[in-house]
Amino acid sequence: MERWSSKVAIVTGASSGIGAALSLRLANHGLTVVGLARRTHLIDELASKVTGDGRIVTKSCDISKPEDIDAAFQWVEQKIGGPHVLVNNAGVLKTGCITDAGDNPLSDDAILSTLDVNLKGMIMCTRKAVSSMRKRNFNGHIINVNSIAGHYVPFKSSLNVYPSTKHAVTAFTTALNTELAEFNCQIKVASVSPGLVKTDMVTDFKDDMPILEPEAVADAILYILSTPPKVNITELTIESTLERRL
């Protein structure tokens, strides 16, 4: 991780779960972490827990709004110098059915917000990050927090459009790696696909189900970042040793 000491990482959805655990890990390894989220008070609290040489900086941003993303990335460039690492972690999971064929149909707003945060926001953040890295001639790293639901469709109707957005993340990561390679750009892109993780999103699941701690996913992301510049881990899947797919 020495390569990243004193560098800048943007982490979306940094206020809780994987984003919070990762932000703390990165700051303790000497990075300046810009935590993007709507609940900025939670990132402020997290910043006080840093024990390493880095720091966590709070920036309010609604990932579902392109204008918020644009303002956040402009702010990072002007105030801190631009990102060297981007972790697209923000995500939402609203349980319910896609249509009224089920007992609990989702609202239009719930479906659209899932698409906006899980996919559109990721793409827009990535475009800003790649542009900034190329402008500064730095071969950075982009990591997309995916899901095992991005590689198969769980047999649970209440997960609705969530697997669709995560399958799109899988496709987006592959397409982006292909594009960057075609144009001889050495920015690395990885997809990290955890199973069930103990976050705010999974409160509807049974407490006795095997589940990963957010810190386990954060450690996997640190491993990806620790690889040499000429090594690109494009996909890493993480599951609890006792996990069985739905």
Side-chain angles (χ1 to χ4, degrees), residues 94-99 104-111 114 158 160-161:
K94 302 176 186 292
T95 55
C97 295
I98 298 171
T99 72
N104 180 32
L106 289 169
S107 66
D108 290 348
D109 285 344
I111 289 177
T114 302
S158 62
N160 56 78
V161 295

Side-chain angles (χ1 to χ4, degrees), residues 1-7 29-31 225-226:
M1 289 293 293
E2 291 83 2
R3 178 191 180 206
W4 303 110
S5 180
S6 76
K7 297 296 192 295
H29 276 85
L31 283 82
L225 287 171
S226 71

